[in-house]
Amino acid sequence: MQIIAHPDDDLYFMNPLLQRSIAEGSPVATAVLTAGEADGRNSPTDDDKEHAKTPADKPGYTEARHNGLRSAYALMATGNQQAAWRREVVTLGDGAQVERCTLAERPAVQLYFFNLAQNLHGSAKAPDGTGVRMRTLWSGDVPLESTLPGTGAPVTAPQDFSRDRVTACLLDLLKQRRPTVVRTLDPDPEHDPYQPGISLADHIDHTATAQFVLAALRTYTEETGARPVVEHFRGYTSKFWPSNLSAAAKAEKRSYLMPYAGFGAPCPANNCGDYQVRPDPGDSTHLISSAYRYTPATDWLVKDGTGRLNAFAVLGGRVVHWTEQAAGSGSWGEARQLTGDWLMPRLQVGVDRSGRIQLVALRRWAGDKDTVGAEVVRAVQTAPGGEFGAWESLEGPDYGNSDHRVRREIGAPAAAFDADGRLHVFVRNFAHGLSHRQELPGGGFGPWQKLGGSVLQDAVTAFTGHDGAVQVFATDTHGVLRWRQERAGGGFRTERIGIPVPVAGAVTPVESTPGRLTLYYREAGTANVVVYRQESDGVHWPPLPAVLSGHDGTGEIAAARWGSGRNGASSGTAVADRAGSGLLSLLVAAPGTPGIGWAESGGQLVYAPAMAEDSTGRMVAAVIGVDARLHTARQSSPESASPLGPWTTV
């Protein structure tokens, strides 16, 4: 289920993953909250004078955008953008009426239009003079927002919506559909890193929509016990960062935007699509990426001090935990849910020297009006294989700032243990630099400290080497920065790694041999999976990295060493990502061998895959599926040429 602000947010920001869900045959519903009527002039905006000559018709423009969205979904689902739809009125919440559109050939594909408009209550203004719209409705600065029915829509009469009514309708829709995946927009978009002060970098309707969705989801999960995957997608802020899609993926996104813009079908009434995005709807920075707001970790599958594998995911705002029933058995116990307040999707998982698992996450809550609270939190097992204690607040680098807009931009946390077993936590701060907080020898944590960097992507990974020294990697618009301890327990020194092409997202470091690092990442502009390995001296880097493959994948790269060579077993490295098909793509190779090549398997996955070696020396791959369940597959033997066995759904 997608819940978005405008009738193109899904096409620009959530594809190609949206299309993969449709292609798989999953039931798909998208709720569009606003009418998106803008100035009501349905003509290209690249020529201001010509655009101004177009008569303003807000109901007509709303209907045109809806027609375009129906055409795009019809093309994604049936291959025919002119496939028929059934349009009807449905009642939600306390009697509110919304339009539901059902694709006749694929009835499991549905669209819901709420049609909340702006400035229809002319006297209702926010204190700063802003007219009525989603943000001021959410903040309470205006009490009501009216709807704007499109021309010819089955819902003909305007309605008034309060903040509570919008939330109640979304709650009702969630209860009716019971989605396993909820996709929405960015609730806490970053400011423009190239402008002074706090400059809005995303559409305010995107932010408010995500706030409404989170409010509805909180109540929904509490009342029903449901645990859906929640995916937040960046909006306009993707333009600041390197493109994470291949040329083929961008072309595919554009192909579904063309019918949205009214191309490909006769249209005598000139209302078959959104002409404001013409002449080319693909000529936009919105097209270059499809990126999560909270960069997923790839280390959420770990082996604890008992030798059993443990898997974790944030589902429905809570951590869900699976544990092997016996070490190396491949049999898993039932999922357990940790208690606590709402967490955002990023979860960092680590195992300390005693074999206990420690979790680091980002907790978020809504305050008065449109204020937001956010902080880093930690939970620790009482003993290896034991229960988890309560979440402990580690605050954040900007926690004491009086402006909640500064506090809410905290990045997704990364963490690692040093040689003394102390936890180090890293996040991107409001200034787009890196901040660090470390556990003290006697317990507790020292203050947050700035480590430097500027215009960093919110894609930080931490790693502890064979020597016990902590290293942390962050990407910017040029390449990769590394902070590393000069020695175990020492201070951090910064260096730039000379990667010739920028990185899209995070890097995944693996110590291929003691003291020698290999970085795996997705190359900007091509989405190729790239490997960059240090020279044998463990200091220098080669002039160029090696490209493993492209396969039009998206998201972060999981990589893990497996096989210790004990008892004559071989060793190697496994690399996995989400391929363009939406399935797991895996490469397994041992030193001096060509490996078994890339192989796709399993079903559609969310977030990012994870891998770990079990107690028998076999490599295990794990994903969270679009069914919000854990899926695992193991090598049939510890040998390098051994492929993955069948997938098991836990």
Side-chain angles (χ1 to χ4, degrees), residues 222 379 413:
E222 290 169 359

Side-chain angles (χ1 to χ4, degrees), residues 109-363:
V109 176
Q110 295 183 317
L111 301 173
Y112 293 81
F113 294 114
F114 282 57
N115 284 344
L116 290 163
Q118 63 187 68
N119 291 324
L120 294 187
H121 285 284
S123 61
K125 299 280 186 178
D128 61 1
T130 301
V132 178
R133 59 191 315 158
M134 295 292 292
R135 180 179 70 84
T136 52
L137 186 66
W138 170 257
S139 68
D141 288 324
V142 296
L144 297 172
E145 184 172 356
S146 287
T147 60
L148 177 69
T151 301
V155 179
T156 58
Q159 306 164 83
D160 283 344
F161 276 79
S162 65
R163 168 175 166 162
D164 289 344
R165 195 180 201 195
V166 173
T167 305
C169 288
L170 290 176
L171 174 61
D172 192 5
L173 195 55
L174 288 167
K175 288 181 175 179
Q176 289 183 28
R177 300 203 60 92
R178 298 190 66 84
T180 55
V181 177
V182 177
R183 295 174 176 139
T184 190
L185 299 161
D186 184 352
D188 301 307
E190 61 202 327
H191 67 286
D192 187 335
Y194 301 102
Q195 298 295 327
I198 304 175
S199 54
L200 294 177
D202 200 3
H203 199 297
I204 58 176
D205 288 346
H206 295 170
T207 309
T209 294
Q211 302 267 53
F212 276 110
V213 173
L214 284 172
L217 279 169
R218 278 177 175 268
T219 304
Y220 170 65
T221 55
E222 290 169 359
E223 292 185 356
T224 66
R227 298 188 300 234
V229 170
V230 181
E231 296 179 306
H232 294 275
F233 287 82
R234 291 183 180 274
Y236 297 169
T237 59
S238 288
K239 67 185 178 183
F240 300 135
W241 311 114
S243 167
N244 71 348
L245 295 179
S246 68
K250 294 171 193 172
E252 182 185 12
K253 281 182 72 172
R254 181 179 178 275
S255 71
Y256 299 125
L257 283 160
M258 296 302 282
Y260 169 73
F263 291 108
C267 192
N270 289 334
N271 68 345
C272 287
D274 183 356
Y275 294 179
Q276 287 199 10
V277 298
R278 289 187 175 192
D280 183 358
D283 185 18
S284 169
T285 55
H286 306 343
L287 188 84
I288 65 174
S289 292
S290 179
Y292 286 133
R293 163 61 173 87
Y294 305 96
T295 302
T298 59
D299 57 359
W300 50 269
L301 180 70
V302 297
K303 185 166 54 179
D304 66 16
T306 70
R308 295 182 296 172
L309 289 178
N310 294 255
F312 297 85
V314 177
L315 301 176
R318 306 288 190 275
V319 170
V320 177
H321 176 204
W322 298 266
T323 306
E324 273 190 309
Q325 292 182 325
S329 66
S331 177
W332 296 81
E334 292 186 0
R336 293 174 291 170
Q337 181 173 290
L338 276 64
T339 59
D341 292 331
W342 190 272
L343 302 177
M344 305 315 284
R346 164 79 177 210
L347 184 68
Q348 186 75 58
V349 182
V351 181
D352 64 22
R353 290 195 304 176
S354 68
R356 299 177 304 168
I357 296 173
Q358 298 197 27
L359 308 176
V360 179
L362 186 63
R363 181 162 60 193

Side-chain angles (χ1 to χ4, degrees), residues 198 398 401-410 429-430:
I198 304 175
D398 300 296
N401 195 291
S402 60
D403 191 333
H404 81 99
R405 296 174 299 172
V406 173
R407 299 193 303 270
R408 75 190 293 180
E409 281 195 34
I410 185 172
N429 54 43
F430 172 79

Side-chain angles (χ1 to χ4, degrees), residues 495-575:
E495 65 178 357
R496 179 171 290 278
I497 297 175
I499 292 176
V501 177
V503 174
V507 300
T508 300
V510 173
E511 198 168 33
S512 47
T513 57
R516 187 180 185 186
L517 283 179
T518 302
L519 305 181
Y520 297 87
Y521 58 90
R522 197 171 294 284
E523 185 180 60
T526 66
N528 284 330
V529 179
V530 171
V531 56
Y532 196 42
R533 190 181 187 192
Q534 272 185 314
E535 303 285 6
S536 58
D537 60 8
V539 176
H540 298 94
W541 298 85
L544 296 173
V547 176
L548 294 182
S549 178
H551 51 246
D552 302 320
T554 58
E556 312 319 304
I557 312 301
R561 289 282 297 168
W562 60 273
S564 60
R566 61 181 182 275
N567 300 324
S570 58
S571 63
T573 303
V575 185

Side-chain angles (χ1 to χ4, degrees), residues 1-2 4 28-34 66 69 85 88 90-92 98-102 109-115 173 176-177:
M1 184 175 183
Q2 293 68 231
I4 56 178
V28 171
T30 297
V32 184
L33 297 192
T34 77
H66 292 179
L69 192 62
W85 292 81
E88 59 190 328
V90 295
T91 301
L92 297 175
V98 301
E99 178 182 350
R100 181 173 66 193
C101 305
T102 303
V109 176
Q110 295 183 317
L111 301 173
Y112 293 81
F113 294 114
F114 282 57
N115 284 344
L173 195 55
Q176 289 183 28
R177 300 203 60 92

